[in-house]
Amino acid sequence: MDMGLREMCVGEKRTVIIPPHLGYGEAGVDGEVPGSAVLVFDIELLELVAGLPEGYMFVWNGEVSANLFEEIDKDGDGEVLLEEFSEYIHAQVASGKGKLAPGFDAEMIVKNMFTNQDRNGDGKVTAEEFKLKDQETKHDEL
């Protein structure tokens, strides 16, 4: 599919034909796509939405508040629960201050973001646990 969409322009229509070896192969998908199926898609590019940098599912548009944890912790108890976190992230997206990766389940992205912040797995994020991606400890990759 990615090869068939390359250099496509907004408003353009294409028929993309995917041979079995680039699709589901000889096995297919049980009950959904027969083996050795040739896939045919009629596509029209209606809008081009910019994605996010590789490795990111959420980005800030502009400066990040210096008091970010305190802003997320609406009740001021020093702990952020998933509900508080989710409400805050969705409010940032709705106001244009943040952007979630297009084409993905927003609730799953937010839940994964929360889980990454909940470093001890107790279902809440404290100020000590909370770090932005650029504040993470850097380490050498193999």
Side-chain angles (χ1 to χ4, degrees):
M1 181 64 76
D2 61 334
M3 293 186 315
L5 297 178
R6 285 189 188 144
E7 311 220 5
M8 193 169 181
C9 299
V10 173
E12 183 179 344
K13 295 178 183 182
R14 286 187 185 173
T15 298
V16 177
I17 300 171
I18 302 175
H21 70 281
L22 295 176
Y24 294 101
E26 291 181 15
V29 176
D30 193 31
E32 298 201 22
V33 180
S36 300
V38 174
L39 306 174
V40 180
F41 297 92
D42 289 320
I43 298 172
E44 179 179 3
L45 182 57
L46 301 174
E47 178 183 15
L48 191 59
V49 178
L52 302 183
E54 190 163 336
Y56 288 81
M57 296 302 280
F58 174 85
V59 293
W60 294 99
N61 294 326
E63 293 297 314
V64 179
S65 170
N67 302 315
L68 184 57
F69 181 82
E70 291 78 11
E71 289 178 17
I72 298 172
D73 183 22
K74 293 261 187 233
D75 60 11
D77 66 355
E79 300 174 340
V80 173
L81 301 177
L82 176 58
E83 184 177 328
E84 284 176 291
F85 188 83
S86 181
E87 286 177 14
Y88 185 83
I89 295 298
H90 286 294
Q92 300 312 297
V93 171
S95 70
K97 294 180 183 176
K99 181 177 181 179
L100 291 166
F104 293 90
D105 179 357
E107 290 305 319
M108 188 58 69
I109 292 173
V110 172
K111 186 173 185 210
N112 287 340
M113 290 169 61
F114 179 83
T115 301
N116 288 338
Q117 293 296 326
D118 182 16
R119 297 171 197 286
N120 65 6
D122 65 356
K124 55 192 172 214
V125 177
T126 62
E128 291 76 34
E129 291 175 290
F130 187 76
K131 290 182 177 48
L132 296 176
K133 193 165 182 115
D134 64 349
Q135 297 169 328
E136 298 284 340
T137 303
K138 304 279 192 254
H139 61 276
D140 293 330
E141 298 291 334
L142 292 176

